[in-house]
Amino acid sequence: MDTLLPFALLCLTSFFTLTNPLSIMPIFLTMTDGFSDMERKAIVKRATIVSFITLVMFAVSGQLLFKFFGISTNGFRVVGGVIFFAIGWDMLQARITKVKLKEDEIKTYAKDISITPLAIPMICGPGSITNAIVLMEEADTFWMQIVLIASIAIVYLLTFIILRAATRINKIIGETGNNVMMRLMGLILMVIAIEFFVSGIKPILIDILRQAPVH
């Protein structure tokens, strides 16, 4: 019991920081511009459920999957860094494309964005996946593993609530406030992207140099 509380706090704070639903709001609102409240609710619900299932799967079997496919978490960090930088750059310019769709196209588009890019990699990104795998390795007991999975569920429930309230928050801050938030979050996202990319590419380059023949 003495170790459960600190472990639970570590899980909650790390997953919430890595998910950062407040930074997802501007992108979510822009991608769903013109959608009804019910359509946005369905997108958020699907995205958070997919994110939860994906993260739990990686937490439980991440190391086995990585060994099977011969990939590393550093590869996930590099790819995540590139994706985050591209999204952050568009956010910094406040020019995320607003998609105009016909009624018969909305349902297909909603299903697509709820999985990619909203669920993966925005809500459940390489940082969260890496964090889940590492923390699961540190969970020595059955109850610590339960705490880890419960923490993921709590964080994604909070993410669902925050994104569901995104429209009301946007009405309060207005278009100008949304643009300011988008630019600020874009800058932060680009910094995070660089950190991800560097932390992923550094050990890969070190391994390459070690394996290079010495003349």
Side-chain angles (χ1 to χ4, degrees):
M1 183 63 69
D2 292 339
T3 59
L4 281 181
L5 183 58
F7 185 72
L9 291 175
L10 173 62
C11 292
L12 287 170
T13 54
S14 60
F15 280 119
F16 188 81
T17 302
L18 288 166
T19 303
N20 195 5
L22 294 176
S23 68
I24 299 173
M25 278 199 324
I27 310 177
F28 170 69
L29 290 172
T30 306
M31 288 191 303
T32 57
D33 181 57
F35 280 43
S36 68
D37 186 64
M38 291 302 297
E39 289 166 342
R40 280 179 168 165
K41 180 180 179 181
I43 291 172
V44 174
K45 183 178 179 181
R46 177 188 290 267
T48 48
I49 290 174
V50 169
S51 298
F52 174 76
I53 294 173
T54 302
L55 199 55
V56 170
M57 286 178 59
F58 271 102
V60 173
S61 59
Q63 288 296 335
L64 293 176
L65 288 173
F66 282 1
K67 289 178 182 178
F68 180 79
F69 289 107
I71 57 178
S72 67
T73 54
N74 292 322
F76 267 88
R77 287 181 177 273
V78 171
V79 173
V82 173
I83 294 173
F84 285 175
F85 190 89
I87 295 173
W89 176 257
D90 280 343
M91 289 176 65
L92 190 64
Q93 307 300 315
R95 67 180 188 192
I96 301 293
T97 304
K98 294 188 177 183
V99 182
K100 301 300 181 183
L101 301 167
K102 300 176 182 177
E103 286 188 18
D104 58 345
E105 296 175 326
I106 287 179
K107 187 174 292 186
T108 301
Y109 174 74
K111 287 182 179 180
D112 289 341
I113 66 169
S114 63
I115 298 175
T116 304
L118 189 56
I120 303 169
M122 290 171 63
I123 296 177
C124 179
S128 297
I129 291 173
T130 303
N131 193 49
I133 296 172
V134 171
L135 289 177
M136 183 59 81
E137 287 183 344
E138 295 178 3
D140 299 326
T141 66
F142 171 77
W143 289 111
M144 290 179 73
Q145 294 175 356
I146 294 298
V147 166
L148 173 59
I149 295 174
S151 299
I152 295 172
I154 292 171
V155 168
Y156 285 157
L157 177 60
L158 291 174
T159 300
F160 173 81
I161 294 171
I162 290 172
L163 292 181
R164 279 290 292 127
T167 305
R168 278 168 280 181
I169 295 174
N170 188 56
K171 287 180 180 179
I172 295 173
I173 64 177
E175 187 69 24
T176 302
N178 188 43
N179 285 336
V180 171
M181 182 185 295
M182 186 182 297
R183 292 176 188 273
L184 179 60
M185 291 299 106
L187 180 61
I188 294 174
L189 194 60
M190 290 173 71
V191 173
I192 294 174
I194 296 298
E195 293 290 339
F196 266 105
F197 185 85
V198 172
S199 64
I201 200 68
K202 185 177 179 181
I204 292 176
L205 291 177
I206 291 175
D207 288 341
I208 293 174
L209 292 174
R210 284 177 179 173
Q211 295 173 10
V214 179
H215 297 287

